[in-house]
């Protein structure tokens, strides 16, 4: 009996990172409400969202008769001054986020959640990122590239936004959406390895 790995995500970056690990999988995107709850910490929020993505995918696939699967889901948020920053709602929101990140340090939180028929486990990985000073002209030009729109905190370290990053302490793959080392360890606990 072979167990199939399901990635509960629409993200092209997360599937590419799993490919990088040599783990064959199938993408099964789930859309959930990603709004924060009142007074919820960034860590509690990112873990709740990853867990909910995994549980939702699991329920839908089980209802469709799928068995022998392990579901992996992930969520990425920026924590700045104790507040969560997700994807920008619009250009103005991107300006607000990048102005606050400019010349400051922030944390990128990625939660990974794995579920099978025995239960689930969720873990949060924190990476510190120091931003260089970013001007309004930089932000305007960056917004026009289209890159910030679907990225937590309005930037992509692996793309054009990498030029705003002075230093990183922690996992770079986690900033991009899936921490390779921790994902490998967690999946191993659920019987998935290369
Ligand atoms: C900070 C940062 C975020 N990101 C991305 C990672 C995540 O894909 C995205 C945050 O959105 P998420 O809601 O975590 O994920 P998603 O909507 O892309 O995919 P899904 O929910 O279907 O799994 O921001 C980068 O690619 N580079 C970066 O430097």
């Amino acid at each position: 009996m072979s167990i199939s790995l399901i990635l509960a995500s629409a993200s092209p970056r997360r599937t590419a990172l799993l490919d990088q690990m040599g783990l064959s999988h199938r993408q099964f995107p789930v859309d959930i409400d990603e709004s924060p709850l009142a007074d919820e910490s960034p860590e509690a929020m990112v873990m709740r969202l990853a867990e909910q993505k995994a549980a939702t995918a699991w329920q839908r696939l089980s209802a469709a008769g799928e068995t022998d699967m392990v579901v992996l889901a992930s969520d990425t948020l920026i924590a700045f001054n104790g507040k969560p920053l997700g994807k920008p709602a619009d250009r103005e929101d991107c300006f607000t986020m990048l102005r606050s990140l400019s010349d400051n340090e922030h944390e990128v939180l990625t939660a990974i959640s794995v579920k099978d028929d025995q239960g689930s486990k969720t873990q949060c990985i924190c990476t510190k990122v120091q931003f260089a000073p970013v001007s309004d002209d930089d932000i305007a030009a960056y917004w026009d590239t289209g890159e910030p729109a679907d990225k937590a905190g309005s930037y992509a370290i692996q793309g054009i936004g990498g030029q705003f990053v002075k230093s990183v302490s922690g996992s770079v793959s986690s900033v991009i959406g899936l921490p390779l080392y921790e994902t490998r360890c967690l999946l191993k606990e659920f019987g998935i390895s290369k």
Side-chain angles (χ1 to χ4, degrees), residues 1-45:
M1 176 191 70
S2 77
I3 300 173
S4 48
L5 175 60
I6 309 291
L7 175 64
S9 170
S11 165
R13 299 166 290 276
R14 295 197 168 117
T15 192
L17 286 162
L18 266 190
D19 284 340
Q20 204 175 310
M21 295 166 75
L23 290 172
S24 59
H25 61 281
R26 189 170 105 229
Q27 269 186 288
F28 184 79
V30 287
D31 233 346
I32 60 161
D33 179 3
E34 298 203 15
S35 11
L37 303 177
D39 298 326
E40 188 177 33
S41 72
E43 185 172 347
M45 179 176 169

Side-chain angles (χ1 to χ4, degrees), residues 6-192:
I6 309 291
L7 175 64
S9 170
S11 165
R13 299 166 290 276
R14 295 197 168 117
T15 192
L17 286 162
L18 266 190
D19 284 340
Q20 204 175 310
M21 295 166 75
L23 290 172
S24 59
H25 61 281
R26 189 170 105 229
Q27 269 186 288
F28 184 79
V30 287
D31 233 346
I32 60 161
D33 179 3
E34 298 203 15
S35 11
L37 303 177
D39 298 326
E40 188 177 33
S41 72
E43 185 172 347
M45 179 176 169
V46 79
M47 290 184 68
R48 175 177 61 83
L49 295 179
E51 221 165 85
Q52 202 180 322
K53 287 178 192 178
T56 304
W58 173 267
Q59 278 156 14
R60 288 185 191 160
L61 288 165
S62 292
E66 184 130 348
T67 54
D68 303 329
M69 59 177 161
V70 169
V71 174
L72 166 68
S74 179
D75 195 78
T76 302
L77 285 178
I78 304 299
F80 184 71
N81 279 345
K83 295 264 183 295
L85 303 180
K87 298 174 187 172
D90 51 25
R91 185 177 187 273
E92 203 182 313
D93 203 18
C94 170
F95 265 82
T96 308
M97 288 189 197
L98 292 179
R99 277 181 186 142
S100 52
L101 300 186
S102 172
D103 211 12
N104 275 315
E105 185 182 77
H106 64 270
E107 291 176 342
V108 181
L109 305 180
T110 291
I112 48 175
S113 185
V114 177
K115 177 163 173 52
D116 69 5
D117 56 1
Q118 303 298 306
S120 69
K121 202 163 167 184
T122 305
Q123 190 183 338
C124 181
I125 291 91
C126 174
T127 305
K128 290 185 192 304
V129 175
Q130 172 65 49
F131 247 50
V134 180
S135 69
D136 279 2
D137 284 348
D138 290 334
I139 300 173
Y142 187 40
W143 175 258
D144 287 343
T145 67
E147 186 175 275
D150 65 341
K151 311 294 184 312
S154 305
Y155 76 94
I157 198 169
Q158 73 276 25
I160 303 159
Q163 65 193 298
F164 304 140
V165 174
K166 260 183 153 173
S167 63
V168 180
S169 170
S171 165
V172 174
S173 54
S174 180
V175 178
I176 304 170
L178 199 65
L180 293 183
Y181 170 68
E182 291 81 359
T183 299
R184 175 169 163 259
C185 295
L186 193 54
L187 284 175
K188 242 186 191 167
E189 289 183 36
F190 285 77
I192 301 280

